[in-house]
C-alpha cells in the first residue's frame, strides 16, 4: 500500500489551480491524494475533474460580512480565515489520522498547505505531521517578495507614513508600489 498526501489549498482562485496541479503530479507518482477544503469557494469544478481524490470539507465559520471584507481588507480576510479554520483543520486531520490505524487505510506522509495557511503549521506540529508550504504566486510576485529585504536594507521599507509615497525622482516607491504601504 502506498502513502497518502493531504493537500490544503487556500480558497482563492490563484491558489486552487496550482495546488491541484501538484496533486495531479503526486498522484501520477503513486501517492493517493486527499484534499481538505473550506466550504467557502469550494472547488466544485475541480472536484468533478478529480474523482480519484478524496475530499474533506471543513467549516470556515465565515459570516457574509467577513467574506465581503475580502475585497476591502485582504490581509484581514486571510487572518480571519486562518483563525476560523485552525480548529476545523485540526479536527479533520485528527480524524483522518485515526482512520490511518485501520489496515485498509494508507498513512498520511505529509500535509502540503498553501503558504497563506499560517494556521496549518501549528496544527501539523501538534499532530506530529510533516508539513510543506506551497507558495502559489506567479514569478512577478515572487520577485517582489524577494526584493523586500533589499528595500528594507535601503530604508524604503517598511513605509513610515503616507507622505513618503508621492512621485519624485528621489522616491522610488511612487505610484503602483503603494501596495508596500499595505504590507
Amino acid at each position: 500500500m502506498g502513502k497518502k498526501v493531504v493537500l490544503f489549498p487556500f480558497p482563492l482562485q490563484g491558489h486552487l489551480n496550482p495546488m491541484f496541479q501538484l496533486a495531479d503530479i503526486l498522484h501520477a507518482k503513486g501517492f493517493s491524494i486527499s484534499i481538505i477544503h473550506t466550504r467557502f469557494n469550494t472547488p466544485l469544478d475541480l472536484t468533478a475533474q478529480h474523482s480519484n481524490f478524496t475530499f474533506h470539507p471543513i467549516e470556515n465559520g465565515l459570516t457574509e460580512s467577513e467574506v465581503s471584507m475580502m475585497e476591502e481588507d485582504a490581509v484581514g480576510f486571510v487572518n480571519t480565515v486562518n483563525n476560523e479554520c485552525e480548529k476545523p483543520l485540526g479536527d479533520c486531520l485528527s480524524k483522518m489520522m485515526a482512520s490511518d490505524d485501520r489496515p485498509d487505510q494508507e498513512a498520511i506522509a505529509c500535509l502540503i498547505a498553501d503558504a497563506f495557511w499560517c494556521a496549518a503549521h501549528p496544527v501539523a506540529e501538534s499532530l506530529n505531521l510533516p508539513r510543506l508550504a506551497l507558495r502559489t504566486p506567479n514569478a512577478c510576485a515572487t520577485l517582489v517578495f524577494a526584493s523586500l529585504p533589499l528595500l528594507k536594507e535601503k530604508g524604503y521599507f517598511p513605509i513610515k507614513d503616507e507622505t513618503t509615497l508621492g512621485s519624485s525622482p528621489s522616491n522610488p516607491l511612487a505610484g503602483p508600489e503603494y501596495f508596500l504601504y499595505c504590507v
Side-chain angles (χ1 to χ4, degrees):
M1 198 171 284
K3 290 282 188 172
K4 176 171 37 181
V5 177
V6 178
L7 290 95
F8 188 35
F10 199 76
L12 297 177
Q13 190 58 41
H15 299 257
L16 293 169
N17 290 335
M19 189 68 77
F20 275 82
Q21 290 168 348
L22 175 61
D24 287 333
I25 292 167
L26 292 171
H27 186 263
K29 296 290 183 183
F31 288 92
S32 66
I33 305 296
S34 291
I35 308 282
I36 298 175
H37 63 88
T38 64
R39 294 196 188 275
F40 166 72
N41 208 8
T42 300
L44 293 175
D45 57 331
L46 294 172
T47 59
Q49 297 170 20
H50 295 89
S51 58
N52 47 352
F53 297 171
T54 57
F55 292 88
H56 304 271
I58 62 171
E59 293 300 328
N60 53 11
L62 295 177
T63 64
E64 284 295 320
S65 63
E66 289 168 330
V67 171
S68 66
M69 87 173 183
M70 177 175 48
E71 293 177 19
E72 298 168 18
D73 181 11
V75 173
F77 175 76
V78 169
N79 288 334
T80 299
V81 171
N82 269 278
N83 291 336
E84 295 294 331
C85 290
E86 186 170 358
K87 183 175 177 354
L89 173 63
D91 293 345
C92 183
L93 283 169
S94 294
K95 191 180 298 182
M96 291 172 73
M97 290 174 77
S99 73
D100 289 349
D101 294 337
R102 295 192 332 236
D104 63 329
Q105 291 295 313
E106 298 167 313
I108 297 175
C110 73
L111 168 67
I112 301 175
D114 189 291
F116 274 33
W117 282 121
C118 304
H121 178 73
V123 168
E125 197 170 76
S126 73
L127 296 170
N128 238 6
L129 184 63
R131 174 190 166 259
L132 298 171
L134 176 66
R135 290 194 44 86
T136 59
N138 61 29
C140 181
T142 300
L143 288 173
V144 168
F145 281 111
S147 68
L148 289 177
L150 177 63
L151 291 171
K152 185 174 184 176
E153 178 185 311
K154 293 190 176 252
Y156 298 125
F157 183 75
I159 297 171
K160 307 294 186 263
D161 64 54
E162 296 174 40
T163 61
T164 62
L165 294 173
S167 293
S168 74
S170 65
N171 183 6
L173 295 181
E177 292 81 3
Y178 176 78
F179 79 95
L180 289 175
Y181 182 73
C182 302
V183 174

